Amino acid sequence: MLMLRCPNCGVTADETELAPGGEAHIARAATGSDDAAFEAYMFGRENPKGVHFERWRHAMGCGKWFHAARCTVTMQVFGTYPAQTLSPPDDLLEKIDAARPGWRWRDLGAGHRHTHDHHDEER
Amino acid sequence: MKRRYSAFAIAREALRHHSGWTRTWKSPAPKSRYDVVIVGAGGHGLATAFWLGRNHGITNVAVIEKGWLGGGNTGRNTTIIRSNYLQDPSAALYEKSRSLYETLSQDLNYNVMYSPRGVLMLAQTEHEVRGYRRTAEANALQGVETEFVGPRRVKELCPIMNIDGPRYPVLGGLWQPRAGTARHDAVAWGFARACSDMGMDIIEQCEVTGVTREGGRVTAVSTTRGEIGCGKLGIVVAGHSGRLAEMAGFRLPIESVPLQALVSEPIKPCMDIVVMANTVHGYMSQSDKGEMVIGGGTDGYNGYNQRGSFLHIEETVRALVETFPMISRLRMLRQWGGIVDMTGDRSPILSKTPVENCFINCGWGTGGFKATPGSGWAFAELMARGESPLAAPFGLERFREGRFIDESVAAGVAH
Ligand SMILES: [Zn+2]
């Protein structure tokens, strides 16, 4: 059974205690966006065979949202991190680099490290 | 040219120690180019190739497969065939498919063991009663024979069912008498044999590793058995559609999740219909060998592990045991998962793509087997002529246009 550590309360919870929330770090298409942008926001998904970033909620525990990085093939969990961020933390990305050389997810992974999302967060 | 299968052929072969049977389909090396290359030798891919030849006279076709023929979701489903959908485009497509199953054994000269034993979808909440009554009315308008039946009729149709369950009482059901099951492997094998007989090449152990494009058109696919040129490319690979689309240079509104099933030890005949219970995420039928074939729910998160999360098995079996108390002592022999490709509206995609001569057939989610012949029929028409009345509502552009075919509400979970 899949187990994830909730970064909000520190509990390592079974899958039955958690509610999956789909792909992480999806920015809402803003008002005035064209149809293509809204389609991408509503239905465009990464669907990777490998490293994936997701939202989860500790539904039967503290009730709070968080993020997880997981392999969709082996179910290996690389780590969890708080919901209040626009992209995964660098130490987690380094951990995934070590475990899965050459991985890629959107503009993350293999040679694309420092994204503008990080800077947004720092402002 | 291979011999026809018949009672006479069995008698003839019996007299000569079965020495005259030939391979069901040939296993050639790939040629350098085909008019049409279909990626994926599951039921849908093979059916597409078959109707390309039968209806449109296109026989210079290769069907290439990374594993073995029918080894993906074709060999992993619970073999249910039905067409009791709510929306008109779905009912048209699935009813076409169901009607093709009626004569498929004769059309293919291969016994696909179509068994129109009837499918009963249980209504276990007031909402489901209302929903299925509505579906029955919609089906009447669509020309699909279904009927809403009360609890007493449910009990007559399936005496082993406990209709007074305290938690999930049976309030009625949507009954489709000409729905049923077929032998899933035989469907793939039968199509493969017929395709091979028309001179098409079915190439197994041949994984696509890249798609070569020139000026917005596909010119070839790179595979583990060399480069294969193509006039048109059809992608029919279910859970791995997103991977293929990425190689061809476009994106799909698809997420892949494992869907599970399990079978029990064989027991004496006790249930001669298919029962689906969407409230409790479970469905069951009895195979000709006597095994109870049980389908469960999908994982709530993306996965490619062909195994699925065990908690879904627990949920499904727990609920089914309440509805079918006699299965509580059955031992389960096997459990497995298949990777299903889910779209936002839970309806399939039969579509042209941003790449001019590349077509995609995917998104069948949890309910593709029933659609196998109809999907192939419509997709072959789309590939051959550039348009198909059955496929038209299922284009990729519907997600941009907000023109959904919303079966996620209509069909519940089991689909
Ligand atoms: Zn928590």
Side-chain angles (χ1 to χ4, degrees):
Chain A
M1 184 176 287
L2 182 65
M3 295 169 84
L4 299 175
R5 184 182 169 278
C6 171
N8 300 304
C9 66
V11 167
T12 298
D14 282 351
E15 187 180 341
T16 45
E17 212 174 301
L18 301 163
E23 187 171 320
H25 310 304
I26 295 174
R28 193 184 197 288
T31 314
S33 299
D34 62 8
D35 288 354
F38 206 73
E39 180 196 17
Y41 159 65
M42 286 287 281
F43 300 105
R45 294 293 180 266
E46 287 304 314
N47 200 23
K49 187 172 183 177
V51 178
H52 197 25
F53 296 87
E54 298 169 311
R55 299 189 313 141
W56 286 82
R57 195 167 79 87
H58 193 185
M60 301 294 176
C62 68
K64 292 186 179 132
W65 286 95
F66 61 93
H67 285 124
R70 180 178 67 85
C71 173
T72 59
V73 182
T74 63
M75 309 294 279
Q76 180 183 356
V77 176
F78 302 109
T80 57
Y81 53 101
Q84 296 76 13
T85 175
L86 297 174
S87 70
D90 282 342
D91 59 335
L92 177 60
L93 296 177
E94 276 157 25
K95 212 169 141 186
I96 300 171
D97 280 343
R100 298 293 160 91
W103 71 281
R104 205 159 48 79
W105 190 84
R106 291 195 205 155
D107 57 355
L108 296 175
H112 303 82
R113 180 42 43 84
H114 302 286
T115 63
H116 56 272
D117 287 351
H118 281 280
H119 304 296
D120 286 350
E121 191 190 337
E122 283 155 17
R123 273 203 297 269
Chain B
M1 194 66 193
K2 79 167 69 66
R3 297 175 190 280
R4 277 186 64 79
Y5 290 161
S6 64
F8 174 74
I10 293 171
R12 183 190 63 222
E13 290 304 324
L15 293 174
R16 53 178 187 183
H17 307 286
H18 294 283
S19 58
W21 300 117
T22 54
R23 289 184 69 96
T24 306
W25 60 87
K26 294 184 285 284
S27 186
K31 290 189 271 190
S32 61
R33 190 180 184 283
Y34 296 88
D35 291 342
V36 174
V37 169
I38 304 286
V39 185
H44 290 242
L46 292 164
T48 303
F50 174 76
W51 298 119
L52 275 173
R54 178 67 69 89
N55 289 352
H56 306 283
I58 300 170
T59 54
N60 183 17
V61 175
V63 185
I64 59 180
E65 166 60 45
K66 75 170 175 176
W68 67 94
L69 188 144
N73 293 349
T74 298
R76 293 166 187 271
N77 60 77
T78 50
T79 78
I80 298 170
I81 296 163
R82 61 185 181 86
S83 58
N84 52 353
Y85 280 72
L86 178 65
Q87 310 292 348
D88 291 349
S90 324
L93 183 56
Y94 289 103
E95 177 62 10
K96 173 69 184 175
S97 190
R98 196 205 58 78
S99 66
L100 288 170
Y101 268 117
E102 296 256 8
T103 56
L104 195 60
S105 295
Q106 289 77 18
D107 291 340
L108 298 177
N109 179 230
Y110 198 98
N111 186 3
V112 302
M113 298 165 72
Y114 174 57
S115 162
R117 61 184 65 183
V119 168
L120 180 67
M121 294 173 78
L122 297 183
Q124 295 180 290
T125 65
E126 289 295 341
H127 299 87
E128 273 186 307
V129 171
R130 280 203 292 275
Y132 287 146
R133 281 187 186 282
R134 182 185 174 204
T135 303
E137 302 290 356
N139 289 161
L141 293 172
Q142 292 151 347
V144 177
E145 184 193 359
T146 63
E147 182 192 355
F148 187 84
V149 296
R152 190 174 300 169
R153 179 91 172 104
V154 169
K155 185 74 180 173
E156 278 168 21
L157 286 165
C158 186
I160 64 168
M161 199 187 303
N162 168 27
I163 62 170
D164 307 315
R167 188 161 174 210
Y168 303 112
V170 175
L171 306 175
L174 182 66
W175 171 238
Q176 183 176 18
R178 290 300 290 177
T181 61
R183 176 73 207 273
H184 50 6
D185 298 321
V187 171
W189 298 338
F191 275 124
R193 176 168 171 269
C195 289
S196 186
D197 209 23
M198 284 190 277
M200 298 178 182
D201 286 353
I202 295 161
I203 304 158
E204 297 172 77
Q205 308 287 330
C206 178
E207 181 169 0
V208 173
T209 54
V211 176
T212 311
R213 279 171 297 156
E214 266 171 40
R217 292 176 60 85
V218 174
T219 54
V221 288
S222 314
T223 75
T224 49
R225 297 180 64 177
E227 183 154 291
I228 303 173
C230 60
K232 288 178 182 173
L233 178 67
I235 300 173
V236 198
V237 296
H240 288 72
S241 297
R243 309 267 301 155
L244 262 293
E246 193 183 347
M247 290 179 202
F250 58 94
R251 279 172 68 95
L252 288 175
I254 292 266
E255 288 191 282
S256 297
V257 294
L259 173 69
Q260 297 182 68
L262 61 163
V263 295
S264 74
E265 58 191 329
I267 55 173
K268 287 183 179 175
C270 64
M271 183 175 169
D272 61 358
I273 63 170
V274 179
V275 174
M276 311 183 73
N278 286 341
T279 294
V280 299
H281 296 204
Y283 33 107
M284 189 162 82
S285 63
Q286 188 168 21
S287 76
D288 293 341
K289 283 186 288 185
E291 301 157 330
M292 303 309 287
V293 182
I294 296 173
T298 53
D299 284 4
Y301 46 87
N302 294 27
Y304 284 87
N305 63 24
Q306 293 198 326
R307 189 174 62 236
S309 183
F310 193 75
L311 74 100
H312 290 290
I313 290 297
E314 197 179 355
E315 276 177 0
T316 297
V317 170
R318 188 169 57 209
L320 285 177
V321 162
E322 188 190 299
T323 308
F324 302 93
M326 63 162 278
I327 70 167
S328 67
R329 293 189 185 181
L330 283 186
R331 277 169 296 202
M332 293 297 152
L333 292 189
R334 297 190 300 282
Q335 172 270 344
W336 65 92
I339 304 308
V340 298
D341 38 343
M342 309 290 279
T343 59
D345 60 359
R346 300 295 183 261
S347 285
I349 294 168
L350 288 159
S351 186
K352 298 178 184 178
T353 70
V355 183
E356 193 184 316
N357 56 341
C358 175
F359 299 81
I360 187 135
N361 178 347
C362 66
W364 293 94
T366 58
F369 175 70
K370 68 173 85 70
T372 304
S375 157
W377 179 285
F379 196 52
E381 189 170 47
L382 180 67
M383 289 192 72
R385 296 187 179 170
E387 59 182 15
S388 158
L390 279 175
F394 296 94
L396 265 174
E397 68 284 355
R398 74 177 189 269
F399 296 98
R400 183 164 304 185
E401 295 168 0
R403 192 175 39 73
F404 310 119
I405 303 165
D406 191 355
E407 295 289 352
S408 60
V409 180
V413 58
H415 178 31

